[in-house]
Amino acid sequence: MSTARAGAAPVGEPLAPMTVHERAIFAPITTTGTGFKALALGLALVSAWALFAWIWQLTHGLGVTGLLRPTYWGIYITNFVFFIGVSHAGTLISAILRLSKAEWRRSVTRMAEVITVLVIAFGAGNVIVDLGRSDRALYVFRHANFKSPLLWDICSISIYLTASTIYLVLPMLPDLVRLEQKVGGWRGSVYRALLRATGYRDTPKQRHRLERAIGVMMVLVLPIAISVHTVVSWVFAMTIQPMWHSTIFGPYFVAGAIFSGIAAILTFMVVLRRAYHLEAYLRPVHFDNLGKLLLVMTLFWLYFTFAEHLTTYYGGEPHELRVLFDKVTGRFALQFWVMVVTCFVIPFAILCRAKGRRSELGILLASLSVNFGMYLERYTIVVPSLTNARILMTDARYTPTWVEWSILAGCVSTFLLLYLGFTKLFPIISVWEVEEGIEHGPRETTDRLATYYPPMAGSGEAP
Amino acid sequence: MRWAMVIDLGACTGCGACVVTCRQENNVPVADEETFYHGRNLDWIQLEDQAEGEYENLRVRQYPLMCQQCDKPPCVKVCPVRATYRDEEGIVGQIYRRCIGCRYCTNACPYSVKTFNWKKPGWAEGTERRQSPDVSLRPAGVVEKCTFCHHRRQKAKEAVRAEGRELGAGDYEPACVEVCPAGAMTFGDLDDPSSPLAQLVQDRHGERLMDDLGTEPKVIYLRPPGGRS
Amino acid sequence: MSNWRRRDFLGLVAGSAVGFTLGKLGLPALLGARPDPASTTRSHDGLDAEREALGVCGGCSAGCSVKLRIVEGRLVGLRGNPLCPLGAGGLCARGASEVEAYYDPDRIVGPLVRDGDRAKDRWNRVTWDEGLARVSQQLGRLVGSRRGARVGAILSSARGSMGAAVERALAAVGSPHVYHVDALRDEAAAPFAALAVGADRRFGYDLETTDLVLSLGTPVLEGWLSPAYVARRFGQGRQRTEARLRLVQVESRMSPTAMRADEWIRCVPGTEPLLALAMAGVLLREGLVDASAQAALVGLAPWKDAAGRLHRGLRPLLDYAYSPVTVSRETGVPVVDILRLARMFGTAQNPVAVGEQTAGSAGAFGLGAVHLLNALRARSGSRGCVVTPDTIPVTALGASAPVEGRIDRPPIASVASTPVWRALGGFETEGREPPFDILFLEDGAAMSDVVAGDPASRLLGKIPLVVSFASALDASTAAADVVLPSTSYFEQALDVEIDAGGFVAVAAARPALPPLLDARSPAQVVPELVRRSGREPQLGTEEQMVRYRLGGLYRARRGMAYGTPFRRGWMAQMEEAGWWTPASISEGQFIDSVLERGGWVDPRMPRPGFSPEKPYGVDARGRGFVPPAKALFAQGAEDDAWLPHNESAGDSPGTAQGMLLVPFTVGVLRGRGSPNRPSLLALAAPHVRAGFHPWAELNPKDAKRLGVESGGKVRIASEHGNVVVSLRVTEGVRPGTVALANAPAAGGAGRYAKSWKAGSERLMAGIYGRLTGARTGRGMRVQVEAEPKGAA
């Protein structure tokens, strides 16, 4: 016979039949509707416009933005912090859920991990767009100054990206094996190439090693993820600027990141469920549980925000008060209070009721509201402190221009485009884990539960 | 040797000659009205003021503000490519060829004295003729700031080397110090206790801007005696 | 390759070596050729790539000597000349911006002739021949019909070689009409200094030893007198430990001068002279003035004139009309402060009171009140700061024009002259024909007293041919038919007479740079025009004129070329003892040394104190301080009207309501030369972050009442006109008043200065002091209202 690997379909031979779950989950890969094409085209147009805006900026200089002295950072750095924050969706959530052996995670981990891997690039990309000399971006490696928090940022984001990619690819390997057997065409060659590169054949020994590797990664990824957004926050907190130089920034940003990350997952869950008919796999319990997590994070967010602003107010340091009042009652009051409403009031109102948590519309509203509010939160952290510098240089206000908005829109559209591209190539739900859960889940869970309590009399086990 | 500057605010008339001369000396581009009102005027030195009170008891103190050449510069700490650095004579330099324009240093500076080239500096037709050959022109996208006229220091170093001696205080002074008609600015070596600069600091109890922040700036301001403002 | 033999190998190596050497050195070097000399001088390291030259700053009429740094023929830097008596190495901001102005991208490149009528803004570029011909045709016609006196020139430069050349040239066609307008001085100051101190137009303030400067509204530190000189004396005075200079600023607005004053006395705008009068009364009553001083000043006590009429005298007037209580009520200054200021003034070692204002005058009588203070103290233990230096003994280029032919303004014609524009406006209001058929204007600064819509500007519109020498488009070119652009001072051989600071000095220089554009100095252009019109002015080149004038200094056996303070000191001692050391060199060498060092100065001036033969307050003709001195006012008008008093702008009826207007000067924008200076336009007012266009300032209470914010626009209207300007809200403005920037001639058509339309001067059209005709504006009332956005 041929030297084909065990289970692999030789080229030219018909594809193996799919299981019930595979058919449902692989459907988006094999079929593409016109709606998808139209959406992709629209997103591509937005991305092309954003590319044009960036080229415009490269040729005309950063003066095409609304930035000025002393507000040297604006939309781009807000984007950077926001996107890095959203990236905490996948890795952190799936790692925590795997660690805590929450069985309901199985449908959710893949789509969350993809968010992470894709969105980090846009976070880092915004920093490059923000540079006055993007062509010199590689100097950070050539002339690295490790005393600078930006360098720490680069290191931790690189490590995070690497770790997240590994953490996405590893659990994808068993699915790739199935895909290769059951999906043909050009996609088949992609899967084959990837499998050949990794040498994964899904033998039991390899599967065992894989699960151990995933186990290692899910522990490793946690401190890396926490460090990433902590380090991002330290870019601000390590300066002495009023209302930036705050010790709470590390935990504040991490909590905010998890917050916006969960909201992002929820948004994607709602949309993907509808678009790809995954109702059977993304069930009300998933929304309920993640909704509860989001509720907890809303309360965390409120706590941190309140603590931050109250201590500033009570401390009464004049420069900080100037920033505080500009945020709360001054020129940034609109952004600030809309942020409070969208980050707390709306999500809390929806999510504190089970009915809200279990409804698609409620979850969608709450998650979109949170992401909008978190964007405003980043903005009101970055801009008011700079605008109220200790020495005021000008009365001019920072107003973002079309270039900055275009690039933000382009980041979002390109990210969505890449995500959608992913869903057309790889399953957005981890099939092998779902099938594993269905098969082995109840038994393992029962066994685990049994260890929580004293053994029943007569069962033969030692108390 | 640490270069420092003393500005006697009692003698300063606020004429602005230092601002205009610095611009010419260091090839700092001029702003037109739109740039000015957009807060994009590049100034290596400018007149800032602190005001307190209402009309009946108003006190305004106006002072020239330039890079304070801190001994513990917050901008140097945060530059990811070490494009801004403090040299052994206490001057905080800026390497234009290395700066990537991330503007972290402009945000870290509590005095807001670092400026950024938002676009390629425009020199209206014919005005490039007045560019001084001693100072490099900066491209778009890099940060710049006062360097205590380091090009004059270079020239002075070469001159004293030809004379076979070391650079001493009094061998050079920045353009602003030279042009001040009121003689309000003194420049010299802070580490030399016998220099006029050190004696001024001692006798007149100079103060530094925001020195509670720990930046240890080397521009020292003398209050007008009599305590007003 | 294995077939090679050693011979071949050696040949290969040797051949390569030779070829390599040849290639490196070049065949010409081997043939003994020398490097091309032209290529070494083109090198940037060549010895003649950089040079220093001296020049005279053209930013204002003070005449500071400056050092130019020229690299490869380009002007790249400017410093003060350390030997200059005014700045001693320092420069004011305007001087520092001369480099920028020299390379102004909107400078006029060559002669222009207007295309169409004056309302259009279209010009044709012509050659010098054509431009000169346009003017000389008209001039020739006038000369031919013996009406040469209908030519006039109004210059913004100080007196000097250029003015002398123009005077002589115009005298050759029979016209005495050459006038100088000084942007940095109050036009009314001169006549009242004449009355107060017996000085003619040339008087200055010697601030070297003053320990108290009492400024009654004068923007001492903002474009007054000679900014570099004032800054230098201020700095020195403040850094002294003995007799340290104190500045007391009496003003309603927190100006940059008030910011730096030791004391800021807040008074109702326009009432500053009242304070002077109250203080004078206190000085007299409290015996802070010697009896001898009082006796020397005519008119203090009641006196009888030749006709036997009894005149009241100033003292009783001070006592009953200007008592501290009355004045306190009018000015808003507490009585204790008035008494304290008076005592301060009375006990200071060498105080000086100044009242000149560059944003509209305080009025001649107001200035008289201020000079009264100086006169009282000058005879009473104080050295005196108001100095009347001797005339500079330069050789005159021609007979001075007869007084009768000038446009004059009796009744005090013999000591002073009304500002020329006021007089010209008088022609218009009286319905007379314009006195000129051709008018030369040096630049926009020469028109700083003209406002669109006032009589002078209407008259200007009726003059058939107006010629401007401006180097950039400004107010004068807007009014002109022909523009014959002038070279920069740095391109001219010139001398400028210095009168600020009480020096007897002349700044002089050779051309430092060749003309950048197709421009020529008026010192050459006007004589050339006269020549083409058929008369011979008998003038040589610029340098010849300068040398001729400076020769008079040598023949007067006075003074020295600019030198260090030590040199000045010992030269002064030598001169006092009767020795004049430059006698050992020839006149030519003396003049060369003057030109090489930047100028000439009489080291003995300013003279400390006044000798008994020439007492302060009494001039050579024995006229004393206080009018109505007998010779002056024969009409017997009411005493009070002619004694020092406070002139308010209450002359204009119907404006009893409204806010008080406080016009203030923008120091850096005052002066002469191109207005298109972005560095200065950005420096207009750092403390309110204003620049590039005029602005008004309101107190926050008033702003709230009117519903306007910083950055919004307001319309300010008086019965003479209105302006729309942007607003800054600041605590530095007295509630109930509105401050408005004043910088005439700051606007132009240049890319930077084009937004500077008229400021407060437009509102003050038509309000003139009675005695001198200088424009007053302080204390007038205006209506202020918010201007909606989007309105023009």
Side-chain angles (χ1 to χ4, degrees):
Chain A
M1 260 293 269
S2 61
T3 51
R5 293 184 297 273
V11 179
E13 284 195 19
L15 304 167
M18 297 190 197
T19 65
V20 132
H21 302 296
E22 285 170 354
R23 206 173 304 133
I25 294 174
F26 290 173
I29 300 177
T30 50
T31 57
T32 304
T34 47
F36 177 89
K37 291 192 185 124
L39 180 62
L41 180 66
L43 291 174
L45 284 174
V46 175
S47 301
W49 173 254
L51 184 65
F52 165 71
W54 186 28
I55 293 174
W56 183 266
Q57 182 181 288
L58 284 174
T59 47
H60 291 86
L62 271 169
V64 301
T65 65
L67 296 167
L68 45 83
R69 179 185 192 189
T71 313
Y72 285 102
W73 281 344
I75 290 286
Y76 295 144
I77 298 297
T78 307
N79 293 351
F80 159 64
V81 183
F82 177 72
F83 286 130
I84 300 290
V86 166
S87 80
H88 277 53
T91 321
L92 202 60
I93 299 311
S94 75
I96 293 178
L97 291 179
R98 277 215 178 94
L99 262 177
S100 58
K101 295 202 189 339
E103 281 294 321
W104 56 272
R105 73 167 193 286
R106 295 176 186 270
S107 312
V108 171
T109 52
R110 174 74 49 76
M111 58 180 71
E113 286 153 14
V114 178
I115 296 179
T116 298
V117 170
L118 290 179
V119 93
I120 293 178
F122 294 97
N126 268 287
V127 175
I128 298 192
V129 168
D130 183 62
L131 289 180
R133 293 301 304 257
S134 307
D135 57 315
R136 295 181 183 172
L138 292 178
Y139 281 17
V140 294
F141 299 114
R142 228 168 92 182
H143 303 287
N145 173 24
F146 283 100
K147 279 206 196 136
S148 167
L150 268 183
L151 241 302
W152 310 340
D153 241 348
I154 292 171
C155 292
S156 70
I157 289 179
S158 313
I159 296 174
Y160 188 40
L161 183 60
T162 316
S164 306
T165 313
I166 296 175
Y167 194 54
L168 169 70
V169 169
L170 281 181
M172 218 158 66
L173 290 171
D175 274 351
L176 281 178
V177 169
R178 292 164 184 246
L179 281 167
E180 201 225 354
Q181 293 169 347
K182 299 173 186 185
V183 175
W186 62 272
R187 291 189 178 84
S189 15
V190 172
Y191 306 138
R192 242 187 307 280
L194 285 170
L195 284 172
R196 207 173 297 154
T198 54
Y200 188 75
R201 283 178 241 112
D202 210 23
T203 59
K205 201 158 143 230
Q206 277 185 334
R207 173 71 74 91
H208 179 64
R209 260 194 234 144
L210 181 83
E211 291 186 353
R212 267 191 36 209
I214 293 177
V216 167
M217 284 309 300
M218 72 188 178
V219 171
L220 259 185
V221 130
L222 277 175
I224 292 175
I226 291 181
S227 79
V228 163
H229 226 242
T230 307
V231 162
V232 165
S233 79
W234 283 349
V235 167
F236 305 102
M238 294 289 171
T239 67
I240 39 179
Q241 299 304 23
M243 280 203 84
W244 272 10
H245 190 54
S246 168
T247 52
I248 210 178
F249 262 37
Y252 188 21
F253 272 49
V254 173
I258 299 175
F259 187 32
S260 55
I262 297 177
I265 299 178
L266 280 171
T267 310
F268 274 95
M269 276 167 61
V270 171
V271 171
L272 289 170
R273 183 180 191 248
R274 271 297 172 92
Y276 292 154
H277 306 293
L278 298 169
E279 292 84 350
Y281 301 94
L282 296 170
R283 308 177 69 82
V285 68
H286 295 102
F287 294 104
D288 194 23
N289 288 344
L290 277 175
K292 280 187 201 151
L293 259 176
L294 193 63
L295 178 67
V296 167
M297 295 315 298
T298 293
L299 293 168
F300 254 123
W301 179 87
L302 181 74
Y303 164 66
F304 274 119
T305 307
F306 183 69
E308 165 81 2
H309 290 83
L310 182 68
T311 47
T312 306
Y313 175 68
Y314 200 84
E317 206 263 311
H319 292 119
E320 292 191 339
L321 278 188
R322 220 168 59 202
V323 181
L324 179 70
F325 283 126
D326 211 12
K327 281 169 79 165
V328 175
T329 62
R331 296 170 291 182
F332 299 96
L334 179 68
Q335 290 95 321
F336 182 81
W337 290 109
V338 169
M339 165 188 81
V340 172
V341 164
T342 51
C343 279
F344 174 71
V345 174
I346 294 178
F348 186 80
I350 296 175
L351 299 169
C352 65
R353 293 162 36 240
K355 210 159 124 203
R357 286 195 299 271
R358 287 176 167 256
S359 85
E360 266 188 349
L361 183 64
I363 289 285
L364 186 66
L365 272 177
S367 60
L368 285 176
S369 167
V370 165
N371 266 325
F372 183 75
M374 284 310 290
Y375 190 85
L376 285 177
E377 192 230 34
R378 309 309 191 199
Y379 185 84
T380 55
I381 285 176
V382 171
V383 177
S385 282
L386 292 175
T387 309
N388 290 287
R390 285 190 172 81
I391 296 187
L392 291 173
M393 298 255 155
T394 177
D395 293 333
R397 273 291 303 281
Y398 166 57
T399 313
T401 61
W402 68 271
V403 172
E404 294 164 283
W405 294 127
S406 305
I407 289 186
L408 172 62
C411 287
V412 173
S413 73
T414 313
F415 164 65
L416 289 175
L417 205 53
L418 287 174
Y419 196 95
L420 291 175
F422 182 92
T423 64
K424 286 293 156 189
L425 199 56
F426 302 106
I428 203 60
I429 294 182
S430 182
V431 176
W432 68 276
E433 288 185 273
V434 167
E435 288 191 346
E436 190 192 50
I438 293 174
E439 232 182 275
H440 304 291
R443 187 177 37 85
E444 282 176 5
T445 315
T446 318
D447 287 346
R448 204 179 346 127
L449 279 177
T451 65
Y452 296 165
Y453 305 102
M456 295 203 298
S459 71
E461 286 181 26
Chain B
M1 140 163 299
R2 281 185 303 148
W3 297 107
M5 191 184 290
V6 171
I7 302 181
D8 187 347
L9 293 180
C12 168
T13 63
C15 67
C18 49
V19 177
V20 179
T21 297
C22 170
R23 171 164 270 123
Q24 172 60 36
E25 177 88 7
N26 290 292
N27 297 333
V28 182
V30 296
D32 59 12
E33 185 172 357
E34 200 200 313
T35 315
F36 177 80
Y37 279 107
H38 202 161
R40 296 226 180 124
N41 195 12
L42 272 104
D43 270 322
W44 287 18
I45 178 174
Q46 60 191 78
L47 290 171
E48 273 303 313
D49 57 88
Q50 292 170 351
E52 46 182 42
E54 298 187 336
Y55 179 77
E56 294 76 20
N57 50 19
L58 186 63
R59 291 192 334 181
V60 178
R61 174 149 63 142
Q62 203 174 50
Y63 55 97
L65 179 69
M66 73 292 272
C67 173
Q68 305 283 291
Q69 311 288 350
C70 308
D71 276 336
K72 294 219 171 81
C75 61
V76 168
K77 272 198 277 195
V78 298
C79 176
V81 295
R82 232 186 296 260
T84 181
Y85 65 99
R86 181 184 178 279
D87 73 14
E88 62 277 350
E89 287 176 8
I91 301 219
V92 178
Q94 186 81 27
I95 308 176
Y96 307 124
R97 300 192 71 119
R98 196 189 281 186
C99 175
I100 61 174
C102 69
R103 307 183 307 290
Y104 200 179
C105 62
T106 61
N107 291 332
C109 175
Y111 308 101
S112 305
V113 286
K114 300 191 86 156
T115 63
F116 180 71
N117 283 284
W118 298 102
K119 58 181 169 77
K120 185 154 182 292
W123 290 85
E125 62 270 18
T127 57
E128 73 281 349
R129 287 176 287 187
R130 68 175 170 88
Q131 288 165 358
S132 156
D134 300 331
V135 181
S136 56
L137 297 170
R138 280 77 62 190
V142 302
V143 169
E144 58 182 54
K145 66 167 187 70
C146 162
T147 59
F148 272 6
C149 281
H150 113 280
H151 57 283
R152 291 183 168 213
R153 183 166 56 131
Q154 289 304 109
K155 278 191 173 171
K157 275 198 178 138
E158 285 165 24
V160 303
R161 207 179 321 145
E163 291 173 23
R165 60 180 176 87
E166 291 293 314
L167 189 69
D171 280 326
Y172 101 95
E173 58 182 9
C176 52
V177 176
E178 186 184 14
V179 87
C180 176
M185 297 168 102
T186 315
F187 187 73
D189 180 4
L190 198 58
D191 283 341
D192 178 6
S194 64
S195 69
L197 182 110
Q199 294 187 336
L200 262 182
V201 174
Q202 238 179 20
D203 298 340
R204 297 274 305 276
H205 309 294
E207 60 178 41
R208 294 156 217 244
L209 278 180
M210 296 194 239
D211 55 357
D212 54 321
L213 292 177
T215 51
E216 297 185 12
K218 292 206 296 294
V219 176
I220 296 137
Y221 295 91
L222 305 179
R223 282 190 175 206
R228 188 185 180 271
S229 80
Chain C
M1 286 225 243
S2 38
N3 303 345
W4 277 20
R5 289 194 297 257
R6 190 203 300 171
R7 181 181 318 168
D8 296 323
F9 178 73
L10 283 177
L12 183 66
V13 167
S16 318
V18 170
F20 188 73
T21 314
L22 266 181
K24 269 289 182 186
L25 288 181
L27 198 55
L30 279 178
L31 296 177
R34 270 185 287 277
D36 179 14
S39 63
T40 47
T41 52
R42 269 206 307 274
S43 147
H44 290 263
D45 299 326
L47 287 171
D48 57 355
E50 175 168 344
R51 65 184 171 94
E52 213 172 58
L54 290 176
V56 180
C57 175
C60 76
S61 48
C64 293
S65 173
V66 293
K67 266 197 199 170
L68 289 82
R69 180 174 176 227
I70 298 170
V71 170
E72 291 181 350
R74 299 178 286 122
L75 176 63
V76 299
L78 203 65
R79 299 286 167 264
N81 182 353
L83 306 177
C84 173
L86 285 174
L91 282 179
C92 72
R94 196 170 177 89
S97 73
E98 282 284 287
V99 183
E100 199 170 271
Y102 187 72
Y103 287 111
D104 181 359
D106 298 315
R107 262 182 84 175
I108 299 172
V109 297
L112 302 173
V113 167
R114 195 180 280 277
D115 181 8
D117 61 48
R118 284 190 196 159
K120 297 212 192 72
D121 199 19
R122 299 211 343 223
W123 297 90
N124 289 329
R125 172 97 165 80
V126 298
T127 63
W128 272 99
D129 270 332
E130 287 165 4
L132 289 171
R134 269 296 279 268
V135 183
S136 61
Q137 262 168 24
Q138 304 280 44
L139 190 55
R141 231 172 278 155
L142 286 176
V143 168
S145 56
R146 300 196 160 278
R147 286 180 304 145
R150 291 184 63 77
V151 179
I154 303 182
L155 307 176
S156 61
S157 295
R159 288 187 177 2
S161 61
M162 198 240 287
V166 173
E167 272 178 26
R168 170 141 175 156
L170 288 191
V173 296
S175 167
H177 301 293
V178 178
Y179 304 98
H180 292 263
V181 168
D182 187 343
L184 295 191
R185 301 290 293 269
D186 184 345
E187 283 287 1
F192 240 94
L195 293 170
V197 306
D200 62 5
R201 203 163 252 278
R202 282 198 72 244
F203 82 97
Y205 292 90
D206 170 20
L207 301 174
E208 184 172 3
T209 54
T210 184
D211 60 338
L212 173 64
V213 176
L214 174 69
S215 161
L216 291 145
T218 303
V220 169
L221 300 176
E222 306 158 63
W224 172 68
L225 195 68
S226 156
Y229 171 75
V230 171
R232 182 163 78 97
R233 291 301 190 211
F234 181 78
Q236 284 172 342
R238 279 299 186 92
Q239 288 170 331
R240 281 201 289 264
T241 39
E242 301 156 5
R244 190 182 147 267
L245 184 148
R246 285 178 60 96
L247 172 65
V248 176
Q249 181 75 359
V250 178
E251 202 176 358
S252 81
R253 170 184 171 260
M254 163 72 83
S255 63
T257 310
M259 268 181 224
R260 288 165 179 86
D262 291 88
E263 254 196 85
W264 173 40
I265 307 289
R266 303 160 184 71
C267 73
V268 173
T271 60
E272 291 92 356
L274 281 173
L275 268 171
L277 292 163
M279 285 170 59
V282 173
L283 284 178
L284 290 167
R285 276 193 299 277
E286 297 195 2
L288 291 165
V289 178
D290 293 349
S292 63
Q294 299 193 38
L297 295 173
V298 178
L300 274 179
W303 58 286
K304 267 207 178 93
D305 66 13
R309 278 182 301 215
L310 182 67
H311 294 268
R312 195 211 324 257
L314 182 61
R315 181 86 190 258
L317 182 69
L318 290 178
D319 289 340
Y320 82 77
Y322 300 110
S323 70
V325 174
T326 321
V327 164
S328 168
R329 221 177 315 130
E330 295 268 343
T331 61
V333 179
V335 174
V336 289
D337 284 338
I338 298 176
L339 294 174
R340 184 169 52 81
L341 284 178
R343 287 167 196 154
M344 201 194 298
F345 197 84
T347 51
Q349 276 181 36
N350 192 18
V352 62
V354 290
E356 303 167 24
Q357 290 149 19
T358 48
S361 170
F365 296 105
L367 285 167
V370 175
H371 277 292
L372 174 61
L373 287 175
N374 287 326
L376 286 173
R377 274 310 313 268
R379 298 303 314 269
S380 211
S382 149
R383 176 180 139 155
C385 298
V386 183
V387 284
T388 59
D390 310 333
T391 317
I392 299 177
V394 285
T395 320
L397 282 184
S400 57
V403 168
E404 302 82 38
R406 298 177 75 92
I407 300 169
D408 264 330
R409 289 76 34 174
I412 50 171
S414 54
V415 277
S417 42
T418 306
V420 58
W421 289 108
R422 172 74 175 111
L424 284 173
F427 280 83
E428 170 74 10
T429 47
E430 291 161 23
R432 286 150 60 197
E433 277 293 306
F436 301 127
D437 286 331
I438 302 179
L439 180 61
F440 295 107
L441 296 171
E442 186 176 344
D443 63 8
M447 288 178 57
S448 57
D449 208 30
V450 181
V451 174
D454 77 352
S457 100
R458 287 201 296 276
L459 190 89
L460 193 58
K462 292 187 184 154
I463 295 178
L465 178 60
V466 176
V467 181
S468 165
F469 298 131
S471 60
L473 291 176
D474 58 17
S476 69
T477 60
D481 306 296
V482 179
V483 177
L484 301 173
S486 166
T487 46
S488 154
Y489 274 19
F490 301 146
E491 298 162 342
Q492 300 174 12
L494 83 167
D495 73 67
V496 171
E497 296 176 31
I498 292 176
D499 62 10
F503 298 108
V504 177
V506 179
R510 293 198 182 94
L513 292 158
L516 191 64
L517 302 164
D518 191 13
R520 295 186 195 173
S521 158
Q524 291 178 330
V525 168
V526 178
E528 177 63 24
L529 286 170
V530 165
R531 250 175 239 123
R532 287 185 183 216
S533 73
R535 293 291 169 86
E536 178 47 58
Q538 290 176 331
L539 286 168
T541 64
E542 280 179 332
E543 177 144 1
Q544 284 171 341
M545 284 190 270
V546 170
R547 294 188 77 98
Y548 184 70
R549 279 169 53 89
L550 294 179
L553 301 170
Y554 183 81
R555 286 188 291 279
R557 299 177 71 83
R558 257 179 95 173
M560 52 182 266
Y562 278 175
T564 58
F566 172 76
R567 205 178 144 78
R568 286 209 294 274
W570 79 259
M571 287 288 281
Q573 293 217 1
M574 300 286 275
E575 276 196 50
E576 290 288 344
W579 300 83
W580 190 61
T581 50
S584 61
I585 56 176
S586 72
E587 178 174 326
Q589 286 169 322
F590 179 75
I591 294 173
D592 285 337
S593 74
V594 168
L595 288 170
E596 273 149 31
R597 312 202 91 200
W600 170 92
V601 63
D602 181 342
R604 294 171 293 172
M605 304 298 282
R607 219 189 295 274
F610 281 80
S611 59
E613 299 80 39
K614 199 167 183 261
Y616 183 84
V618 179
D619 72 1
R621 278 174 273 188
R623 288 179 312 198
F625 168 75
V626 180
K630 304 159 272 214
L632 293 178
F633 302 107
Q635 279 84 5
E638 274 301 318
D639 277 357
D640 286 3
W642 297 103
L643 291 171
H645 65 268
N646 182 43
E647 284 171 296
S648 69
D651 296 80
S652 48
T655 51
Q657 310 99 307
M659 306 178 76
L660 282 170
L661 176 72
V662 181
F664 62 89
T665 202
V666 181
V668 289
L669 299 180
R670 282 228 160 231
R672 59 173 302 286
S674 161
N676 205 30
R677 302 176 196 224
S679 294
L680 297 186
L681 288 161
L683 260 184
H687 63 294
V688 290
R689 282 177 253 288
F692 289 90
H693 55 237
W695 73 97
E697 295 175 9
L698 278 179
N699 188 281
K701 298 191 189 71
D702 293 316
K704 202 155 137 204
R705 184 172 49 84
L706 292 168
V708 285
E709 281 182 345
S710 250
K713 285 200 182 316
V714 286
R715 178 182 294 272
I716 304 181
S718 75
E719 59 176 12
H720 304 283
N722 64 73
V723 287
V724 176
V725 288
S726 76
L727 178 71
R728 297 286 180 281
V729 178
T730 163
E731 284 286 351
V733 176
R734 192 183 184 84
T737 69
V738 55
L740 185 52
N742 175 291
R751 67 194 67 187
Y752 303 112
K754 60 182 182 325
S755 290
W756 197 285
K757 311 280 192 299
S760 63
E761 55 275 9
R762 191 187 291 175
L763 298 173
M764 293 156 35
I767 305 194
Y768 299 100
R770 201 177 334 151
L771 189 60
T772 64
R775 192 189 309 278
T776 70
R778 297 218 164 203
M780 66 180 283
R781 289 194 177 267
V782 292
Q783 315 297 326
V784 183
E785 58 194 18
E787 179 80 0
K789 276 201 192 357

